[in-house]
């Protein structure tokens, strides 16, 4: 699954949060910053990916603010 997040997500600990969450859930992939935002690529079964998306939104550190969010398989 590819996830793109735009907003105030750089320099606020969001990328380490994503890494820890994916590792905890056993989802391989990567996360990177770019001038356009944060890009996440994770692999797993559908139910784990849906849980990952939900937890990204609910458990994120309080400083990041999402302006735009998209995901695709």
């Amino acid at each position: 699954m590819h996830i793109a997040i735009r907003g105030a997500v750089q320099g606020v600990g969001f990328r380490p949060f994503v890494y820890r969450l994916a590792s905890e859930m056993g989802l391989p992939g990567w996360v990177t910053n770019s001038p356009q935002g944060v890009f996440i690529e994770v692999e797993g079964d559908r139910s784990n990916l849906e849980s990952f998306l939900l937890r990204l939104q609910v458990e994120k550190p309080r400083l990041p603010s999402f302006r735009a969010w998209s995901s695709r398989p």
Side-chain angles (χ1 to χ4, degrees), residues 1-71:
M1 171 177 282
H2 180 78
I3 304 162
I5 301 172
R6 290 166 178 75
V9 292
Q10 295 185 20
V12 293
F14 185 67
R15 199 169 35 132
F17 160 73
V18 172
Y19 175 80
R20 283 190 303 272
L21 179 61
S23 294
E24 174 187 312
M25 296 182 70
L27 298 172
W30 51 263
V31 57
T32 189
N33 285 340
S34 84
Q36 292 78 33
V38 171
F39 296 94
I40 304 164
E41 188 78 33
V42 291
E43 297 177 0
D45 65 51
R46 184 178 183 158
S47 65
N48 280 344
L49 293 174
E50 288 173 356
S51 292
F52 179 76
L53 284 174
L54 179 63
R55 290 183 66 184
L56 271 181
Q57 296 174 49
V58 173
E59 298 176 22
K60 71 177 176 61
R62 69 180 170 88
L63 289 177
S65 100
F66 299 166
R67 187 177 65 230
W69 169 283
S70 66
S71 65

